[in-house]
Amino acid sequence: MQQFMAQLQHLLSAPGSGPVNWDLARQVAASQLAAAGDPAVSPFERNAVEEALRIADLWLEPATSWPSGIRTSVAWNRNEWIYKTLDVWRKLCDPVASRMVGAMGDLVPPEARAQLGPMQSMVATLGGALFGGQLGQALGSLAAEVLSAGDIGLPLGPAGTAALIPANIRAYGEGLELPEDEVRLYVALREAAHQRLFQHVPWLRGHVFTAVENYAAGIRVNREAIEEAMGRVDPTDPESMQAIALEGIFTPEDTPAQKASLARLETVLALVEGWVCHVVDSAAGERLPNVVRLGEAFRRRRAAGGPAEQTFAALVGLELRPRRLREATALWAALTEHRGIAGRDAVWGHPDLLPSDDDFANPEAFAATSSDLDDELATFDFTAPGAPEEQPPSEGDGRS
């Protein structure tokens, strides 16, 4: 009992505010990585990453209409990936976690809340600690799989920073039985393409996060699952605190509004990933001997999601996978054929110009229409006053 109380006191006293104890999440993730191994980045690997990103940017020049979006090229170990991306995870997870913590407070009978008094806040603190511990485990697992800062389709790292994780790239290349330098260069091409897209389409970052937040707003909390998880805590067994599994406590509401939010999220993720796949494969062309194998492997990887990504989805109810990736890639290829590279990239000029989910079924028809719009977009200055800026969308502006 004394050991349990000490562990509980540590959970409740760990610094952190908000619905998730992020300090605890980072500690748990770091501890998990230390146990599994987190190889340090060698000087050779840092040079190799910088060179790969430099070559990738050169290859992308004729494949896109935008200049490089990279200001800094870095190689991260797994712990650095967690530390550098934690601010974005906070934005994604806090809204969902706040409903879980609120639901835990609701488990206390109304007649007992008055008697608890100040101790009622301990329930929220405990909820934040439990969720932080679970999220730390999920992020620790994800850190052992991701290959770059933009690997899962979201701008997780600092703006303008292209980052690769050499240890994970090496392990992934061994699984594919392909040369490490070729896999590294392909990952660098994907990372550099992500940087160009998010750096030169100023509204896109906010648009993607808004789509995620709108979908998360429709996720409901399964109170029965929380009650069951809390019921497994055994005061005589300190290990039971660590064994609590919160997976499955979030489920999407089966409503037309939530289905529409999910469709918008999947569409924007597919458009981002489809553009990256098309541009990277065009840039690699005949330069990489195994570009076809690499492209197919990455498409399957992104469409299915890895074990850690699936664990994260079960924990917070968010599946960050582009389900119609092949259709989106074909759509960008059709746009390139009909409108050219500049015309294709001009479609990113405003969210209202993007293809809809229905357009995926007939990419040739979408690409062939609005020829008059091409000329207008080709001469439009999106940096001029009145052009779209990265800001929270308002009702009726076509972004929600």
Side-chain angles (χ1 to χ4, degrees):
M1 175 63 74
Q2 184 177 4
Q3 185 180 2
F4 170 78
M5 294 304 296
Q7 187 175 15
L8 181 60
Q9 183 178 9
H10 172 71
L11 282 171
L12 296 178
S13 63
S17 60
V20 178
N21 190 322
W22 287 102
D23 288 318
L24 182 61
R26 187 170 60 247
Q27 293 171 20
V28 169
S31 176
Q32 181 173 316
L33 289 176
D38 184 14
V41 179
S42 68
F44 171 80
E45 287 174 325
R46 293 189 189 279
N47 291 335
V49 165
E50 292 175 0
E51 179 67 8
L53 287 167
R54 186 188 66 81
I55 294 174
D57 249 350
L58 288 175
W59 288 7
L60 287 172
E61 282 298 317
T64 69
S65 61
W66 300 310
S68 172
I70 299 176
R71 294 197 293 265
T72 306
S73 299
V74 294
W76 289 341
N77 64 12
R78 293 161 180 167
N79 254 305
E80 285 177 305
W81 178 84
I82 291 177
Y83 182 78
K84 299 292 187 180
T85 64
L86 209 59
D87 285 343
V88 175
W89 289 119
R90 190 192 305 267
K91 293 178 183 178
L92 293 174
C93 299
D94 272 356
V96 180
S98 64
R99 290 197 293 281
M100 185 274 290
V101 173
M104 288 185 65
D106 292 340
L107 293 178
V108 180
E111 60 274 11
R113 294 175 190 171
Q115 299 177 1
L116 285 176
M119 293 187 65
Q120 181 75 7
S121 62
M122 292 182 61
V123 176
T125 304
L126 178 61
L130 289 175
F131 198 84
Q134 294 279 302
L135 193 56
Q137 293 180 26
L139 290 177
S141 299
L142 198 55
E145 293 182 3
V146 292
L147 306 178
S148 66
D151 193 28
I152 65 171
L154 296 177
L156 295 176
T161 298
L164 306 187
I165 297 89
N168 295 351
I169 292 174
R170 181 169 56 253
Y172 185 66
E174 291 172 355
L176 295 178
E177 298 183 346
L178 290 175
E180 181 182 347
D181 58 344
E182 196 170 342
V183 177
R184 183 194 304 115
L185 186 49
Y186 194 84
V187 175
L189 281 163
R190 289 177 51 82
E191 178 71 1
H194 269 284
Q195 291 295 332
R196 289 194 185 220
L197 182 60
F198 280 96
Q199 283 290 97
H200 297 292
V201 182
W203 55 265
L204 182 57
R205 182 183 296 262
H207 185 80
V208 170
F209 287 145
T210 297
V212 173
E213 290 167 6
N214 287 342
Y215 175 63
I219 295 175
R220 69 178 179 85
V221 177
N222 187 336
R223 290 184 56 188
E224 291 77 13
I226 294 180
E227 194 167 5
E228 180 183 353
M230 297 302 295
R232 290 195 293 268
V233 176
D234 181 1
T236 65
D237 179 15
E239 298 298 324
S240 67
M241 290 292 293
Q242 298 176 350
I244 294 178
L246 297 179
E247 291 94 336
I249 65 172
F250 299 112
T251 54
E253 289 280 9
D254 189 18
T255 64
Q258 179 64 357
K259 290 178 179 178
S261 295
L262 177 59
R264 285 192 293 270
L265 175 58
E266 290 180 344
T267 297
V268 69
L269 291 176
L271 288 173
V272 169
E273 189 67 24
W275 185 89
V276 168
C277 286
H278 170 64
V279 166
V280 166
D281 288 350
S282 298
E286 300 178 356
R287 294 184 170 105
L288 287 180
N290 294 289
V291 64
V292 175
R293 282 186 60 190
L294 283 164
E296 183 60 27
F298 273 81
R299 273 187 284 272
R300 289 198 305 268
R301 180 175 179 269
R302 284 294 294 120
E309 193 172 344
Q310 293 166 9
T311 300
F312 179 80
L315 179 61
V316 301
L318 292 175
E319 291 191 355
L320 303 174
R321 301 204 303 267
R323 295 188 180 277
R324 305 189 67 179
L325 174 54
R326 294 184 186 275
E327 292 94 328
T329 305
L331 195 150
W332 290 117
L335 280 167
T336 305
E337 180 181 352
H338 282 268
R339 303 183 181 185
I341 292 174
R344 176 202 67 200
D345 293 346
V347 174
W348 290 104
H350 192 278
D352 290 347
L353 301 176
L354 290 179
S356 67
D357 186 62
D358 294 336
D359 294 319
F360 285 15
N362 195 345
E364 292 292 333
F366 177 81
T369 57
S370 306
S371 57
D372 292 339
L373 183 61
D374 292 344
D375 297 333
E376 182 180 344
L377 289 175
T379 59
F380 187 77
D381 181 7
F382 289 102
T383 64
E389 297 180 359
E390 182 179 336
Q391 56 186 353
S394 57
E395 295 184 3
D397 70 351
R399 301 191 193 182
S400 59

